[in-house]
Amino acid sequence: MAPNVWALGRAEVEQALRNGTLTRVDASRDLAEAMLQQARGAFSAAEMVTDVSVESAFNLLYDAARLALSAVLVNQGLKTRGEGAHAAVVDLVIAQTEPPRQEAFRAVKWMRSVRNDTQYPNPDRPVASRDDFDDAVRHVPTVIERAGMLVQHMPPF
């Protein structure tokens, strides 16, 4: 295999390309860096609005994590699309980074579920709580930091 190929998770990425969950775009380190900066801004904004609206603050944390993980794919020249695109972002980055187990990336999965319940309320499911925010706020800085490291090291797909 060529030395500038990221092998981990390659089969999962190729499968997502075949089934249309993932599409190729121009690989862009600049856009990935801009997305990481936007993720940092969303994280900062979340901390500022927590006392006003914990639900909005939680959604901002989720957005920050999703943007950071999406930056990894954009840097590779990949973009998710269609139904389940947000879930696919998380799954594809995890596939390309485990092992070892990536707890912070995996936390984005439950954050996505809570974000959906908050954005699309249902009386049978709770919206984001302060406890949810407190749990998420511990993971998101790690997601952003590790995504930034991946952007620096992962070649285009």
Side-chain angles (χ1 to χ4, degrees):
M1 186 169 282
N4 207 20
V5 172
W6 193 273
L8 190 60
R10 192 163 190 84
E12 290 86 343
V13 171
E14 289 172 347
Q15 177 61 39
L17 285 165
R18 281 192 299 276
N19 71 25
T21 304
L22 195 60
T23 188
R24 290 184 185 273
V25 297
D26 290 335
S28 176
R29 171 78 51 90
D30 290 342
L31 180 55
E33 292 291 348
M35 293 170 76
L36 288 166
Q37 190 57 39
Q38 189 178 357
R40 290 179 197 101
F43 179 80
S44 294
E47 292 184 310
M48 288 187 248
V49 301
T50 307
D51 292 333
V52 177
S53 172
V54 73
E55 297 89 354
S56 295
F58 184 87
N59 290 340
L60 284 165
L61 287 177
Y62 170 76
D63 286 345
R66 179 187 51 79
L67 278 164
L69 295 178
S70 294
V72 173
L73 297 181
V74 165
N75 185 65
Q76 293 180 282
L78 303 168
K79 182 179 179 191
T80 58
R81 64 180 189 179
E83 180 89 18
H86 286 194
V89 168
V90 180
D91 291 340
L92 290 167
V93 172
I94 288 173
Q96 293 185 86
T97 57
E98 289 188 352
R101 188 172 171 87
Q102 301 295 319
E103 292 301 331
F105 292 167
R106 288 182 170 274
V108 181
K109 287 180 173 244
W110 71 259
M111 290 173 61
R112 179 179 167 274
S113 177
V114 172
R115 179 257 182 201
N116 286 347
D117 291 345
T118 301
Q119 287 288 331
Y120 311 105
N122 179 320
D124 297 329
R125 293 189 304 267
V127 298
S129 67
R130 180 62 197 225
D131 287 343
D132 293 324
F133 176 88
D134 290 343
D135 197 12
V137 82
R138 292 182 304 110
H139 294 289
V140 174
T142 303
V143 170
I144 295 169
E145 177 186 347
R146 289 190 181 155
M149 288 189 286
L150 289 169
V151 164
Q152 297 302 313
H153 296 289
M154 289 178 91
F157 191 81

